[in-house]
Amino acid sequence: MSLAVMQADNFDGLFDYNAEFATFYSPGTVAINVGDFVAFLSNNTANPGAIEGMSIDAADLSNAYAINNIFGIAMGLASGGPAAVAGTQIVAAGTAGNIRVQIAGRNTVANVDAGCTQGLAIVCSTTAGRGDPASGVSTNDYRVVATSLSAVTSNVATVLIHPHPTFIR
């Protein structure tokens, strides 16, 4: 399977080769960092800055909606340039903002549990923004958001993000 180059948010399609991006509004419920997995919010209807029409937050199991609606990786502010260093804060808790999210393709700054090894499926975690290996969960009801393409170093791994059904054309 190959993905087409998509230029969105005025970013260079060559730099972002084999990846797709979209912009979403975060109400700032929790801090979001570069590399954090994000999920749709089911309980936020006041999203004045939403570009794609839905609000997001760092994915974690305290938001039950995130289990099946984890969908991409936060890469920076919509008004910023290419991805910053993994773990760099994009928005602080209590600060809303428009976030550039990678929704498909290869990503080298994913926030992944240290127990994940190459080739494992990644699902939602109990840690906000972090992906867990699917082998570590007790249910098969979780949506697989990505597959790890590398070993994890300091909770950062290269992954292949699987498109959420919302974005499949």
Side-chain angles (χ1 to χ4, degrees), residues 18-154:
N18 204 27
E20 291 193 27
F21 297 84
T23 301
F24 296 89
Y25 175 76
S26 170
T29 310
V30 297
I32 297 179
N33 301 316
V34 170
D36 281 357
F37 284 94
V38 296
F40 295 120
L41 277 174
S42 61
N43 60 352
N44 185 271
T45 55
N47 53 359
I51 293 175
E52 299 293 335
M54 294 196 73
S55 296
I56 62 164
D57 215 341
D60 74 80
L61 295 178
S62 68
N63 171 5
Y65 194 69
I67 293 171
N68 290 307
N69 287 290
I70 183 171
F71 72 89
I73 296 176
M75 297 303 289
L77 287 173
S79 59
V85 177
T88 303
Q89 190 173 74
I90 301 170
V91 292
T95 304
N98 288 319
I99 309 293
R100 180 173 180 250
V101 177
Q102 184 175 347
I103 59 174
R106 183 177 178 271
N107 180 289
T108 60
V109 295
N111 179 0
V112 179
D113 183 77
C116 190
T117 58
Q118 184 176 4
L120 290 181
I122 298 171
V123 297
C124 199
S125 167
T126 55
T127 303
R130 182 160 296 156
D132 271 354
S135 59
V137 297
S138 59
T139 179
N140 60 4
D141 294 334
Y142 290 40
R143 179 180 181 275
V144 173
V145 67
T147 301
S148 61
L149 300 177
S150 73
V152 177
T153 304
S154 301

Side-chain angles (χ1 to χ4, degrees), residues 1 3 71 103-105 143-145 161-168:
M1 178 178 129
L3 297 172
F71 72 89
I103 59 174
R143 179 180 181 275
V144 173
V145 67
I161 303 168
H162 305 295
H164 189 278
T166 300
F167 306 116
I168 296 175

